[in-house]
Amino acid sequence: MAKSKTGYFALGFFVVASIFNIVAFVSPYWLVTDGKLIDPKFIRIGLWEVCFNKFEEVYHRYDTVFTGCWWIFEEEYYIIHDILLPGFFIATQFFFTITICCVLASMLLAYLFLKKDKDDENYLTLLVTVGTVLVIGGFSGLVSVITFGARGDGRDWMPDWAHNDLGWAFALGVIGVIFLFPAGILFLVEARVQKYKRLHEMQSREPSSYTMQERKIAYTGGHTDI
């Protein structure tokens, strides 16, 4: 069914936000080495994958050397969990996961938005729901990227901190999170517009119904069946 320009703009922002956030969620390029070191111990890290190059546990309690890219919760990493998974990084994972859940839920809601007619009795509820879910996802994602941006390239986390930079996946996450706000707000604006349109239509129909009733009474000489 044909939608308003506001609805299509909201959908456009949502599509861009979804692509950026999903790519950021699965990509291991949130923090990367700048390539200036000849043999860096740290290569890159994302929310769920980390790449090392001959990295050893800093307290030298074990002889294990980590090389290559692994899932961040790999069993072999248990000896460096205190280094690999500090509180700020767990918070980043948690809040960005909430954002992705909101995005995935909104995909179903956006599909229903495209299929439903404006006159459907659940149309307003659908608009309010998708708008609210997107705004919640935006705030959760904002907490995530601010937390990682403030602590991710600090000197107390990955080795060779002076040669580590925030990566392109983090940038995509920031943009994707920001785009969730106009998407959600525009869906809420569309809900408000449709609400007032319905109220206006109801008000415009009531006088005409009243006039028809008067005409019926006049035609029957003032007698009705009621």
Side-chain angles (χ1 to χ4, degrees):
M1 298 296 177
K3 307 297 180 183
S4 68
K5 288 184 179 179
T6 304
Y8 282 124
F9 273 116
L11 200 60
F13 277 113
F14 170 63
V15 170
V16 174
S18 298
I19 294 173
F20 282 18
N21 282 314
I22 291 173
V23 172
F25 186 71
V26 301
S27 173
Y29 289 88
W30 279 57
L31 184 71
V32 298
T33 182
D34 61 10
K36 295 179 181 179
L37 287 178
I38 296 176
D39 197 22
K41 295 182 181 298
F42 166 74
I43 306 299
R44 61 180 177 268
I45 190 172
L47 294 181
W48 314 110
E49 182 180 276
V50 62
C51 299
F52 288 122
N53 177 40
K54 301 176 184 177
F55 176 73
E56 299 179 50
E57 190 264 326
V58 294
Y59 301 110
H60 303 290
R61 294 169 298 188
Y62 305 91
D63 295 329
T64 306
V65 177
F66 299 99
T67 299
C69 298
W70 296 71
W71 184 45
I72 212 163
F73 295 109
E74 193 69 36
E75 185 178 353
E76 284 79 359
Y77 280 149
Y78 79 95
I79 62 175
I80 58 170
H81 270 183
D82 55 337
I83 301 169
L84 188 58
L85 297 171
F88 85 88
F89 188 64
I90 294 174
T92 299
Q93 293 174 316
F94 174 75
F95 284 106
F96 207 82
T97 299
I98 292 177
T99 297
I100 291 299
C101 290
C102 289
V103 167
L104 294 177
S106 298
M107 287 182 177
L108 174 60
L109 296 173
Y111 173 76
L112 295 176
F113 164 74
L114 289 173
K115 300 294 288 184
K116 278 189 178 294
D117 188 85
K118 291 181 180 179
D119 297 327
D120 191 291
E121 61 180 6
N122 296 319
Y123 188 69
L124 289 180
T125 302
L126 176 63
L127 290 173
V128 172
T129 302
V130 65
T132 302
V133 170
L134 288 175
V135 171
I136 292 173
F139 277 113
S140 180
L142 197 61
V143 172
S144 178
V145 296
I146 288 176
T147 301
F148 191 84
R151 298 289 304 278
D153 61 347
R155 66 177 64 197
D156 57 347
W157 192 32
M158 287 294 120
D160 305 318
W161 65 270
H163 293 278
N164 298 333
D165 297 322
L166 297 174
W168 58 264
F170 172 75
L172 287 184
V174 172
I175 297 171
V177 165
I178 292 173
F179 272 45
L180 288 176
F181 287 102
I185 291 171
L186 286 174
F187 274 117
L188 294 175
V189 168
E190 177 67 6
R192 187 178 180 85
V193 169
Q194 293 300 322
K195 176 183 176 180
Y196 281 107
K197 280 185 177 180
R198 289 190 179 186
L199 289 175
H200 178 71
E201 289 174 358
M202 290 173 63
Q203 290 173 354
S204 64
R205 284 199 300 265
E206 286 174 0
S208 99
S209 299
Y210 181 72
T211 302
M212 291 298 295
Q213 181 69 13
E214 286 184 329
R215 290 178 180 177
K216 183 178 179 180
I217 293 174
Y219 179 77
T220 58
H223 299 286
T224 65
D225 296 330
I226 299 175

